[in-house]
């Protein structure tokens, strides 16, 4: 049956456009548009009108790569999911997931270190190598398992390798996990060792374990990259008893010392002797006299002293530059006041206080004048160090 139907069969009337499909006529129509009383055929010159503002808005939201941004650019509003606590996102590997925000609207990022998969490889010859890219890694842990014999390998790093094979390579230090043993090669091992190795690979692009010897079997190399602190390996510390060498040139304590040597005084202060004499020390107990007590009959240096005042008032100690007992208060080089009631002063004189003719001391009750009164017996006690 032909397409199209005559409105009044056999009358020669107008036809209605149809498309006959399986004996059924489906009307054909043309699209037009217009206000009431107006009809416009849709063609290239008269397209079907749509809301142009909406299309323009949609078009403005689409940006082309490298197009400069401008004020007023439109875009698609992006939503994030608020999640106050850290929890895995639902779904499986490869699924689309939501962008998460915290309670303040900040984008949540990972708080734990980056995770890297374990890299593995095998040593089955004297030239085998197991490389791993460590450009974003700080440290690696290495372990070797399997059944093998006579395997020796070296730890190497590269700054310019692009695939773990090319480029320049150099040895790097590894520390055993069970001891402070630092090495650049494993040494010959005949079975899986009871330890692994830790290495700093900070700044390297590639790291590899390269065999230098192999007898038989398969050594399974496991390399675990780690993203943590980028300091040198903390295990590389000196421990145990360390050898000490040198020559002992002085005795420790009071008494005579070799010229120029050191002595440790009663209060733990270090005193140094001079280059021409011996450093000595002398205990002292004050007597009830204003006459000076000679410590050293001859030129020398006062290196320090420890003095205690047992009286209930301040007492003074005067140092005289003389080899014989002078009159009280004459030839004074230095004076020190000592607080009462068990007060103690500890003096160390770096290089020593020089006395040209000798060192003598006087203990008095008042200001260090020639008429000062002598202290009572045992008011002042202590130790002097001189050279």
């Amino acid at each position: 049956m032909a397409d199209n139907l005559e409105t009044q069969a056999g009358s020669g009337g107008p036809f209605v456009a149809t498309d006959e499909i399986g004996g059924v006529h489906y009307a054909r129509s043309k699209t037009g548009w217009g206000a009431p009383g107006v009809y416009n055929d849709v063609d290239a010159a008269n397209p079907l009108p749509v809301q142009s503002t909406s299309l323009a808005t949609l078009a403005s939201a689409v940006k082309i790569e490298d197009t400069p941004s401008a004020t007023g650019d439109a875009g698609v509003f992006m939503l994030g999911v608020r999640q106050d606590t850290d929890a895995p996102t639902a779904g499986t590997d490869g699924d689309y997931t939501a962008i998460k925000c915290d309670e303040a609207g900040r984008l949540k990022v990972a708080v734990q270190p980056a995770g890297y998969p374990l890299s593995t490889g095998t040593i089955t010859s004297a030239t085998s190598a197991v490389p791993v890219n460590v450009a974003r890694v700080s440290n690696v842990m290495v372990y070797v398992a399997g059944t093998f014999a006579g395997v020796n390998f070296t730890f190497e790093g590269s700054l310019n390798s692009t695939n773990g094979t090319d480029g320049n390579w150099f040895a790097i230090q590894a520390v055993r996990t069970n001891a402070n043993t630092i090495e650049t090669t494993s040494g010959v091992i005949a079975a899986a060792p009871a330890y692994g190795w830790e290495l700093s690979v900070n700044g390297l692009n590639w790291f590899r374990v390269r065999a230098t010897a192999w007898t038989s079997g398969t050594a399974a190399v496991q390399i675990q990259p780690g993203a943590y602190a980028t300091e040198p390996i903390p295990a590389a510390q000196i421990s145990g008893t360390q050898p000490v060498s040198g020559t002992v040139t002085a005795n420790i304590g009071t008494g005579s010392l070799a010229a120029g040597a050191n002595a440790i005084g009663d209060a733990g202060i270090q005193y140094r002797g001079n280059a021409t004499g011996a450093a000595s020390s002398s205990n002292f107990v004050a007597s009830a006299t204003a006459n000076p007590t000679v410590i050293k009959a001859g030129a020398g240096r006062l290196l320090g002293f420890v003095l205690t005042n047992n009286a209930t008032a301040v007492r003074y100690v005067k140092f005289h530059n003389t080899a014989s007992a002078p009159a009280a208060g004459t030839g004074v080089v230095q004076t020190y006041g000592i607080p009462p009631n068990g007060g103690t002063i500890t003096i160390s004189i770096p290089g020593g206080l020089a006395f040209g003719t000798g060192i003598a001391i006087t203990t008095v009750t008042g200001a260090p004048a020639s008429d000062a009164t002598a202290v009572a017996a045992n008011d002042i006690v202590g130790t002097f160090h001189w050279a």
Side-chain angles (χ1 to χ4, degrees):
M1 185 180 292
D3 291 341
N4 304 331
L5 295 175
E6 189 176 4
T7 55
Q8 295 180 359
S11 65
F15 286 85
V16 176
T18 65
D19 183 11
E20 187 206 1
I21 301 174
V24 177
H25 286 265
Y26 295 89
R28 287 179 170 175
S29 62
K30 296 179 67 175
T31 301
W33 60 273
V38 177
Y39 181 85
N40 296 298
D41 286 325
V42 175
D43 56 23
N46 296 287
L48 187 68
V50 295
Q51 185 64 39
S52 59
T53 302
S54 298
L55 289 177
T57 301
L58 290 174
S60 66
V62 179
K63 304 300 179 185
I64 301 175
E65 183 183 4
D66 297 331
T67 299
S69 62
T71 301
D73 279 348
V76 177
F77 183 71
M78 183 171 61
L79 298 174
V81 176
R82 172 173 169 170
Q83 184 171 334
D84 296 349
T85 59
D86 293 329
T89 301
T92 59
D93 187 26
D95 287 350
Y96 290 109
T97 188
I99 294 176
K100 299 179 182 179
C101 301
D102 63 12
E103 65 279 4
R106 298 184 181 92
L107 185 65
K108 293 178 80 73
V109 296
V111 295
Q112 65 269 30
Y116 297 94
L118 179 69
S119 294
T120 60
T122 58
I123 293 176
T124 56
S125 71
T127 59
S128 297
V130 181
V132 60
N133 189 320
V134 293
R136 296 180 180 272
V137 174
S138 174
N139 291 63
V140 295
M141 190 73 73
V142 178
Y143 183 68
V144 178
T147 302
F148 54 88
V151 171
N152 192 349
F153 51 83
T154 183
F155 306 102
E156 295 179 329
S158 175
L159 298 177
N160 60 353
S161 179
T162 61
N163 55 16
T165 302
D166 63 356
N168 305 109
W169 295 81
F170 47 88
I172 61 176
Q173 291 183 337
V175 178
R176 292 188 185 184
T177 57
N178 66 341
N180 291 326
T181 303
I182 303 174
E183 53 196 5
T184 57
T185 64
S186 65
V188 178
I189 51 179
Y195 52 84
W197 295 266
E198 185 182 5
L199 304 94
S200 171
V201 293
N202 184 42
L204 297 176
N205 283 324
W206 282 85
F207 165 76
R208 72 183 180 187
V209 171
R210 180 178 61 85
T212 57
W214 171 87
T215 301
S216 63
T218 299
V221 179
Q222 304 168 14
I223 304 175
Q224 177 61 66
Y228 42 92
T230 57
E231 295 91 8
I233 302 171
Q237 306 291 335
I238 296 176
S239 66
T241 302
Q242 304 301 315
V244 178
S245 61
T247 302
V248 177
T249 60
N251 296 322
I252 302 301
T254 60
S256 179
L257 300 175
N262 296 331
I264 303 299
D266 297 81
I269 299 175
Q270 187 178 55
Y271 305 98
R272 180 175 295 280
N274 60 24
T276 59
S280 299
S281 66
S282 176
N283 294 326
F284 172 80
V285 177
S287 59
T289 177
N291 294 324
T293 299
V294 176
I295 296 177
K296 185 177 190 305
R301 292 181 304 139
L302 180 65
L303 304 176
F305 55 86
V306 179
L307 293 174
T308 299
N309 178 9
N310 296 315
T312 58
V314 175
R315 296 292 183 255
Y316 294 88
V317 175
K318 299 186 294 184
F319 293 90
H320 301 267
N321 186 11
T322 180
S324 61
T330 63
V332 176
V333 173
Q334 189 65 272
T335 301
Y336 295 91
I338 308 173
N341 302 312
T344 300
I345 63 171
T346 302
I347 302 296
S348 176
I349 306 174
L353 180 64
F355 289 76
T357 59
I359 306 174
I361 62 172
T362 302
T363 53
V364 297
T365 61
S370 58
D371 58 350
T373 303
V375 302
N378 300 315
D379 271 4
I380 303 296
V381 297
T383 303
F384 293 96
H385 300 269
W386 48 270

